[in-house]
Amino acid sequence: MKQNQHFGFGDKTEIQDIGGGLKRQMLGYNHELMAVKIWFDKGAEGYVHAHRHSQVSYVVEGEFHVNVDGVIQILHAGDSFFVPPHVDHGAVCPTGGILIDTFSPPREDFVEDLA
């Protein structure tokens, strides 16, 4: 997806297999904001990590065991979570599911992966 693209079409926008039962599709981004759709296979794990970006994630479907700064909550479709910059976080998806992740500023490493 080009940085100045205003529209994304789910059936035409590249879906990247990022390993470990995870797939990622860029929904849109500029220099301030990024939205990404992430598919988790049953049992897949987004390992605990931290980054400089603020993050809000929305559960589209499935069950996620989300760890933010050592606090674990079980989330379902319609739930969301916020991660401040530099805070450890991760998620396990025992059912398989989908998250929409938003980042500010955008994740530079995600953009580099598109090149």
Side-chain angles (χ1 to χ4, degrees), residues 52-87:
R52 70 181 190 93
H53 314 82
S54 294
Q55 176 178 338
V56 175
S57 295
Y58 175 79
V59 179
V60 175
E61 66 182 52
E63 176 180 295
F64 288 84
H65 298 202
V66 178
N67 175 346
V68 178
D69 203 19
V71 177
I72 298 173
Q73 292 289 323
I74 298 174
L75 303 179
H76 300 92
D79 296 337
S80 59
F81 60 96
F82 171 73
V83 182
H86 308 289
V87 169

